[in-house]
Amino acid sequence: MCGIVGYIGSKQAYQIVVKGLKRLEYRGYDSAGIALYDGNNLNITKTKGKVADLEAAVFKDDNTHGSIGIGHTRWATHGVPNDVNSHPHYSNSGDLAIIHNGIIENYEALKQELKNRGYVFKSDTDTEVLVNLIEDVQLNEKVSLSKAVQIALNQAIGAYAIAVFDVKNPSELVVARLGSPLAIGVGEGEYFVASDASPFIEYTANAVYLEDGEMATINLSKDIEILKIKDGAIVDPYIQELKINLEQIEKGGFDHFMLKEIYEQPNAINDTFRGRLLPEENIIRMEGVDSNIKKFMAAKRILIIACGTSWHAGLVAEYIFEEFARVPVEVDYASEFRYRNPIINKDDIVIAISQSGETADTMAAIKMAKDKGAFVFGVCNVVGSSISRETHAGAYTHAGPEIGVASTKAFTTQITVLALIALRLAKEKGSIDREQYHYHLYEMEQIPKKVQEALGENDNIKKVAEIYKDAEDFLYLGRGFNFPVALEGALKLKEISYIHAEGYPAAEMKHGPIALIDEKMPTVVIATKKGHYEKVLSNIQEVKSRKGKIIAIINKGDTVVRELADHVIEVPETREAFTPLLTTIPLQLLSYHIAVMLNKNVDQPRNLAKSVTVE
Ligand code: M6R
């Protein structure tokens, strides 16, 4: 995790780096720091807290000068969040400054060797070890910074995206990546480096994404030079044009990114459909699937791997694939899959789902599946992300940047992509009849409009939130396609309001969670008409007869559940398989409003980070 930003050029680096760090705070926000070289001094300011705290500290000391600078916003791995452990770190001579996102696993051994050679360490971090290792190589082997970085990284085991400079040569910045993302913005006589392109989007649309195992030397008087860390082989830089704009990464009048992203869902789902869902022609067109259709057709089983919310999308997909494409599906947490010895047959297809495309466990699970000979298909949101490049083929969700740590539009667009794939496959296999296929395509096209309608319940949801904001526990129940939605609703509430919540398949309630129910405990039940409606009614009765409070997600005009429930939130009707795309919306809004009412930091909940690049 952690966000890194760097600038080298003729402008003052401070504003660019700090603004960039604010955009990357979703990656970690327990401490922040910046290093600037003003031509005479290397000024490093670091502080526990957010980038706003860093700004205050920098101004206090007037350390804002220099046209080369690097900054960091941290999610602690080695060493508690405090000023000393914050990045940037500098070498014993005081000449080298470094920022690092990742973990150097063998840092203890390296540290001991360096200590034996007289190096001293101020922090508990692995990064301070790395910068001193680079310095040690540079001094002993009398090599350039770039060469020293290459040699040092070959001794390091772990994951990293780093940027390092030497005050003795302030027109050069060296960067490298392995397992953590790193983008280089190429401007006119200036360069930017960052964990993603958002910090430099207003300065340049040209970017180079380093591949795993590559490093780059950015020198103001030369062309950018990229090479393989392992053997120094030269790589031609591939400069690509960025498609995101500034508006997409700003709040656009909403109080929080999460709320903005919830409201973006109708458009986001439309973007997911664009060029793919063609009901008039009665087809679904998806390049990644079409060009691998034989593999999909031959698949005896689909294995889905993901984490968190993406895993919930995978569970929804299990129901959808089995319903339409009649292919068995297994869904696994990537973190479990990678440490089991899973059985993967040559006719299996592995689908990896990840919003960020950088999740370490998902990445490792993909590599393992590939090693075992599987064909791996990625469903990612971030274009050019590590997972999208590591997989054999894939489909982007095209949800646009998701900044709020609590995933919202990523979830619904993931389900959308997976439903498209399932229907595409079903048609090819003939496992859905022509008429049903046709109806589903037309109904899918209506989803963005229906999501918009579901958003219309916002004021009602706010009132419900006001009533239950002080509850200590919540239970979420759903059946069939909506069981994973119950899990997702509970996760949303937990992660941003810190209220304990559990999601359960409604019928499982009587096997344990029913013991929790009393007059104080709210139960959120997804009780839409399609899919075990009568059974869910019985589950509601079971809660009511134990004096539990019911918040029911119902279809418009349902008077039966309205009678039984304490509160109802309406969503439009749709085909059963698509109901998760609608029932999720009120659960996102409910958790959002509760968290806001409890004064929690909705976009940056404690202990979390948007992109989990450590295991
Ligand atoms: O970027 P990914 O989709 O791979 O991320 C997976 C999880 O870390 C993520 O969904 C997490 O659970 C979210 N905070 C949930 O809102």
Side-chain angles (χ1 to χ4, degrees), residues 307-310 354-356 359 405-407 491-492 495 612:
C307 301
T309 289
S310 297
S354 174
Q355 186 286 130
S356 61
T359 301
V405 165
S407 202
L491 175 63
K492 286 292 85 92
E495 69 180 326
V612 185

Side-chain angles (χ1 to χ4, degrees), residues 222-454:
K222 293 184 201 155
D223 284 340
I224 182 167
E225 216 174 72
I226 301 182
L227 38 96
K228 298 265 182 218
I229 297 165
K230 202 165 175 195
D231 55 13
I234 305 280
V235 177
D236 280 338
Y238 167 58
I239 301 182
Q240 55 178 277
E241 203 187 323
L242 298 170
K243 296 274 185 290
I244 49 168
N245 58 45
L246 198 54
E247 207 179 66
Q248 285 178 298
I249 52 171
E250 288 182 339
K251 280 190 207 149
F254 286 91
D255 287 344
H256 298 95
F257 281 112
M258 182 181 177
L259 189 61
K260 176 186 172 230
E261 288 155 9
I262 291 173
Y263 273 86
E264 277 174 349
Q265 287 174 110
N267 282 338
I269 295 172
N270 259 326
D271 288 342
T272 310
F273 287 154
R274 188 154 298 123
R276 293 167 166 167
L277 177 67
L278 306 164
E280 307 282 314
E281 297 166 46
N282 207 23
I283 53 169
I284 289 169
R285 189 178 292 144
M286 298 182 89
E287 166 50 30
V289 180
D290 297 344
S291 54
N292 292 289
I293 196 67
K294 282 198 184 132
K295 286 203 171 67
F296 275 94
M297 291 294 286
K300 298 249 168 8
R301 187 175 60 148
I302 292 178
L303 299 171
I304 296 182
I305 47 174
C307 301
T309 289
S310 297
W311 182 74
H312 295 156
L315 289 178
V316 176
E318 177 179 10
Y319 285 83
I320 300 180
F321 272 99
E322 295 196 349
E323 173 74 18
F324 295 135
R326 303 302 298 145
V327 54
V329 177
E330 281 174 34
V331 189
D332 229 323
Y333 284 116
S335 53
E336 287 297 315
F337 182 88
R338 65 180 288 198
Y339 287 116
R340 282 197 283 119
N341 186 9
I343 297 162
I344 301 177
N345 303 311
K346 70 171 176 20
D347 291 333
D348 291 337
I349 284 194
V350 173
I351 299 183
I353 311 171
S354 174
Q355 186 286 130
S356 61
E358 303 294 344
T359 301
D361 282 322
T362 311
M363 188 68 173
I366 291 168
K367 287 187 175 153
M368 189 174 101
K370 280 173 74 181
D371 287 348
K372 286 178 180 276
F375 172 76
V376 186
F377 188 91
V379 174
C380 293
N381 187 36
V382 178
V383 176
S385 55
S386 306
I387 290 177
S388 67
R389 282 178 285 144
E390 187 66 34
T391 42
H392 294 111
Y396 284 116
T397 49
H398 296 308
E402 191 182 68
I403 312 282
V405 165
S407 202
T408 53
K409 62 177 179 171
F411 180 63
T412 45
T413 54
Q414 285 165 346
I415 295 172
T416 305
V417 161
L418 292 157
L420 286 168
I421 300 173
L423 281 165
R424 164 77 182 87
L425 194 54
K427 187 187 181 202
E428 195 76 24
K429 290 177 89 172
S431 54
I432 185 169
D433 74 48
R434 258 189 89 78
E435 202 183 347
Q436 280 299 317
Y437 176 75
H438 193 66
Y439 283 149
H440 276 88
L441 260 51
Y442 270 103
E443 182 54 27
M444 241 188 161
E445 203 183 27
Q446 301 304 310
I447 293 294
K449 208 176 77 206
K450 293 188 176 185
V451 170
Q452 193 67 52
E453 264 182 72

Side-chain angles (χ1 to χ4, degrees), residues 560-582:
V560 180
V561 183
R562 189 175 278 278
E563 280 286 300
L564 286 174
D566 297 275
H567 313 273
V568 293
I569 301 167
E570 290 185 333
V571 295
E573 276 194 57
T574 183
R575 297 253 149 186
E576 188 183 359
F578 305 148
T579 50
L581 294 168
L582 305 180

Side-chain angles (χ1 to χ4, degrees), residues 479-498:
R479 293 185 86 125
F481 290 88
N482 281 300
F483 151 55
V485 176
L487 296 181
E488 175 61 7
L491 175 63
K492 286 292 85 92
L493 187 70
K494 270 185 276 210
E495 69 180 326
I496 60 170
S497 69
Y498 320 146

